[in-house]
Amino acid sequence: MAFKRPKIALIGGGQIGGVLAQLSALRELGDVVMYDIVEDMPQGKTLDIAEASRVDGFDVKVNGTNDYKDIEGSDIVIVTAGLPRKPGMSRDDLLTTNAKIIKTVAENIKQYAPDSYVIVISNPLDAMVTLMKEVTGFPANRVMGQAGVLDSSRFATFIAWELGVSVKDVNAMVLGGHGDTMVPLVRYANVNGCPVVELLEKKYGDKAKAKEVMDAMVERTKKAGGEVVALLKTGSAFYSPASSAIQMAEAILRDQKRVLPVCAYLDGEYGVKDFYVGVPVILGGNGVEKVVELDLNDEEQAMFDNSVNAVKKLIDDMKRLGFL
Ligand code: APR
């Protein structure tokens, strides 16, 4: 048996796709092929990245294509095809346009990369992952969405800034759907084991003020994607979503058994059956290997249920529109 280098297919070579290609190359995760419907663009972008190989010291192939056949044999497929949010536009507004695109993408992944693990980034995330699973018919451990890693990283970043500590020591997790109902888990947030709530109370010497500051960070986390959209004017966040998906891809390719919040299929866990929603999972060589169930208190469970209901509405819309 000959060993072979992993192959990573990127469907969508836009803003996120470009950073995904560069990060995959820099970390030598495997050979990269970037597909886009726009002629020549993925070829140009990947040529540009490949020509930095000597300087950056990576030795993997980075190619662009307009032909799905070139994704054949891919181990991981990361999907960003679709339109990004425009200012003032909700993720849900994107539903119809992106569902059509994802359906075609899924059919091609099924045909050309039937053994791959698929990470979806396209919004509205929870709905697009569901559609990807439905159309490919892949088992649930091989189809997942990226949202929680990014939302959690945003939450951790705000906590680090507020407390003046290294972000490397902050652990914070966000569950639920990737929308305004997401659930930043305040009670579990900690700085190297020290509860963030306690640290805030010590900083301000006042429980009410500490709660106010935490609430503001939670709100900022929920609206963080929109904050970037409003500043960029055109397009949405792309560096941080790409980094987050690469962390997931690396966890799978290197069988790292990372515990990460991922948009995963629930089969009864958290009291949810037959729905994709953001929860902590063990991510390793077999994709989503296990959903990690945390004990939520009543308030957290209510917020989680609210978030699940928002995802259910999206799925109902998809059914009404004939996509599911
Ligand atoms: N097949 C393949 N690629 C497509 C298709 C299609 N049918 N339709 C559009 N694309 C490509 C576009 O040509 C573009 O290059 O998808 C790419 C999307 O890139 P950007 O517009 O730059 O969007 P990006 O910022 O990368 O975000 C992609 O991720 O976070 C989500 O909301 C975001 O849904 C959006 C997605």
Side-chain angles (χ1 to χ4, degrees):
M1 184 201 77
F3 289 100
K4 72 175 182 56
R5 210 181 269 175
K7 179 169 173 180
I8 301 153
L10 308 174
I11 311 296
Q15 296 276 68
I16 300 179
V19 184
L20 286 172
Q22 191 179 29
L23 289 176
S24 300
L26 286 172
R27 296 186 191 189
E28 294 187 308
L29 291 185
D31 291 334
V32 176
V33 58
M34 175 195 281
Y35 170 92
D36 204 286
I37 43 162
V38 178
E39 251 180 59
D40 293 340
M41 184 273 283
Q43 291 85 341
K45 229 176 221 192
T46 50
L47 178 64
D48 187 15
I49 291 169
E51 286 171 355
S53 60
R54 179 65 186 89
V55 182
D56 284 318
F58 60 80
D59 186 5
V60 289
K61 290 182 198 142
V62 190
N63 289 313
T65 184
N66 304 113
D67 184 349
Y68 271 112
K69 201 173 178 318
D70 293 328
I71 73 165
E72 236 167 20
S74 294
D75 300 290
I76 297 230
V77 183
I78 310 180
V79 180
T80 61
L83 303 187
R85 263 200 299 173
K86 303 215 168 67
M89 191 179 181
S90 82
R91 288 190 183 91
D92 300 359
D93 292 337
L94 285 174
L95 186 64
T96 308
T97 317
N98 283 356
K100 281 186 197 150
I101 294 171
I102 294 302
K103 190 163 179 287
T104 310
V105 171
E107 284 161 356
N108 281 288
I109 293 174
K110 184 181 181 179
Q111 181 174 352
Y112 293 107
D115 298 322
S116 62
Y117 290 81
V118 185
I119 301 172
V120 180
I121 308 184
S122 307
N123 276 316
L125 196 261
D126 309 274
M128 295 305 112
V129 183
T130 306
L131 184 58
M132 178 63 68
K133 161 112 171 50
E134 181 80 12
V135 177
T136 55
F138 289 0
N141 64 306
R142 289 207 274 125
V143 182
M144 66 207 83
Q146 188 300 115
V149 173
L150 169 57
D151 295 329
S152 302
S153 178
R154 284 170 166 160
F155 190 30
T157 304
F158 300 146
I159 290 169
W161 288 343
E162 166 60 33
L163 291 173
V165 298
S166 169
V167 73
K168 291 182 183 179
D169 290 328
V170 179
N171 299 300
M173 193 146 57
V174 177
L175 306 188
H178 186 49
D180 303 337
T181 59
M182 70 178 75
V183 188
L185 283 186
V186 168
R187 197 163 55 99
Y188 286 101
N190 69 78
V191 180
N192 213 355
C194 311
V196 171
V197 173
E198 259 180 52
L199 295 173
L200 285 172
E201 284 172 6
K202 294 239 162 60
K203 175 175 172 180
Y204 290 102
D206 176 359
K207 283 193 175 195
K209 176 66 184 166
K211 181 172 181 323
E212 195 184 300
V213 171
M214 180 51 105
D215 287 350
M217 289 194 288
V218 164
E219 273 318 294
R220 190 172 180 192
T221 301
K222 289 182 183 178
K223 302 200 164 88
E227 185 180 356
V228 174
V229 169
L231 289 167
L232 291 179
K233 308 289 191 294
T234 57
S236 52
F238 55 101
Y239 294 110
S240 55
S243 295
S244 304
I246 289 296
Q247 185 177 59
M248 290 170 63
E250 188 171 21
I252 298 169
L253 286 167
R254 300 195 164 141
D255 190 23
Q256 289 173 331
K257 317 284 185 204
R258 296 290 309 265
V259 177
L260 299 172
V262 162
C263 180
Y265 180 80
L266 295 187
D267 186 22
E269 298 93 344
Y270 290 92
V272 179
K273 191 143 178 68
D274 200 21
F275 270 99
Y276 267 94
V277 69
V279 288
V281 306
I282 297 178
L283 202 57
N286 201 23
V288 175
E289 298 188 350
K290 187 177 170 23
V291 172
V292 177
E293 283 198 85
L294 291 173
D295 286 332
L296 302 181
N297 64 26
D298 290 348
E299 193 190 348
E300 290 156 355
Q301 187 68 47
M303 288 195 290
F304 186 76
D305 291 344
N306 182 38
S307 192
V308 171
N309 285 335
V311 176
K312 283 184 178 166
K313 273 200 201 106
L314 264 178
I315 301 303
D316 285 344
D317 285 345
M318 297 257 292
K319 285 184 179 154
R320 187 171 39 78
L321 295 165
F323 288 108
L324 288 174

